[in-house]
Amino acid sequence: QKEVEQNSGPLSVPEGAIASLNCTYSDRGSQSFFWYRQYSGKSPELIMFIYSNGDKEDGRFTAQLNKASQYVSLLIRDSQPSDSATYLCAVKRRYSTLTFGKGTMLLVSP
Amino acid sequence: GAVVSQHPSWVICKSGTSVKIECRSLDFQATTMFWYRQFPKQSLMLMATSNEGSKATYEQGVEKDKFLINHASLTLSTLTVTSAHPEDSSFYICSAREIAGGPADEQFFGPGTRLTVL
């Protein structure tokens, strides 16, 4: 059974702070790791993906992957109220389908 | 960027009726389309994977005779919920993929369809 675990939150951070979102996965064969943002009542939108150990930065977002620990995280720097949403972690093997976690709700207060 | 549309965005129907949801890739050809269902405060659950011109592959526990999927062209897939019941009320989301196998293997999500069965 492939599982992706996330703390449901909510994670509350003040505006301008760094938000740290974490995800663990059970399938050691997973090769690609994705972070999606989902606003209430909307469909997910891709923030970024990572497939190599280490850090990957894109603007205010940094994804971190540690395959040995089966752990992937997303850091959001200079958090804004507009970042308030549910963040979904998803993993997949090559040529396979995405497995999503339940998501972590992030609340950024002005 | 790649755009996927869904129609309708929301639908309310009576128990026992059938509902069809359309998913279209607007600016690319989708070799594969996926159908997900999401209940409140739950994760996206994959229902089925469809490839153009072939039968859909359903996930375990999803009734293929109840959730009919047709992927007749590279830009259109439809999901028909037959004899809908209140427990089928959910948020149905499709996604489309152009090419498989790369590290990103990106899926582009449609805006979703909110189904309410009375």
Side-chain angles (χ1 to χ4, degrees), chain B residues 9-118:
Chain B
S9 56
W10 60 269
V11 57
I12 301 173
C13 70
K14 292 182 179 180
S15 184
T17 61
S18 294
V19 174
K20 180 185 283 188
I21 302 170
E22 291 186 349
C23 177
R24 294 182 184 271
S25 56
L26 298 185
D27 51 3
F28 67 100
Q29 293 186 323
T31 55
T32 306
M33 288 186 169
F34 304 88
W35 287 95
Y36 295 87
R37 180 168 54 182
Q38 186 178 35
F39 293 106
K41 299 190 184 302
Q42 296 296 313
S43 178
L44 271 76
M45 297 301 296
L46 179 65
M47 300 175 67
T49 302
S50 73
N51 293 293
E52 184 265 339
S54 61
K55 290 184 178 181
T57 301
Y58 291 81
E59 296 298 302
Q60 191 173 9
V62 178
E63 300 174 58
K64 62 181 180 181
D65 294 331
K66 180 173 181 62
F67 299 99
L68 302 179
I69 292 173
N70 185 284
H71 191 164
S73 76
L74 286 171
T75 60
L76 173 65
S77 177
T78 60
L79 167 68
T80 301
V81 183
T82 62
S83 186
H85 291 281
E87 58 265 30
D88 298 322
S89 299
S90 188
F91 191 42
Y92 291 85
I93 308 171
C94 75
S95 70
R97 183 177 67 194
E98 186 173 19
I99 301 173
D105 205 9
E106 186 172 356
Q107 295 178 28
F108 301 96
F109 284 85
T113 297
R114 179 80 55 191
L115 171 62
T116 301
V117 184
L118 303 177

Side-chain angles (χ1 to χ4, degrees), chain A residues 31-32 34 36 38 41-46 49 51 88 92-98 100-103 105, chain B residues 6 34 36 38 41-44 46 49 59 91 93 97 100-107 109-112 114:
Chain A
Q31 293 185 302
S32 303
F34 302 79
Y36 288 84
Q38 187 176 25
K42 304 294 184 182
S43 67
E45 54 181 322
L46 181 66
F49 70 93
Y51 55 89
L88 303 173
K92 72 182 292 292
R93 290 179 172 235
R94 195 172 186 181
Y95 300 115
S96 186
T97 56
L98 287 169
F100 283 87
K102 291 185 178 181
M105 180 183 292
Chain B
Q6 273 185 251
F34 304 88
Y36 295 87
Q38 186 178 35
K41 299 190 184 302
Q42 296 296 313
S43 178
L44 271 76
L46 179 65
T49 302
E59 296 298 302
F91 191 42
I93 308 171
R97 183 177 67 194
D105 205 9
E106 186 172 356
Q107 295 178 28
F109 284 85
R114 179 80 55 191

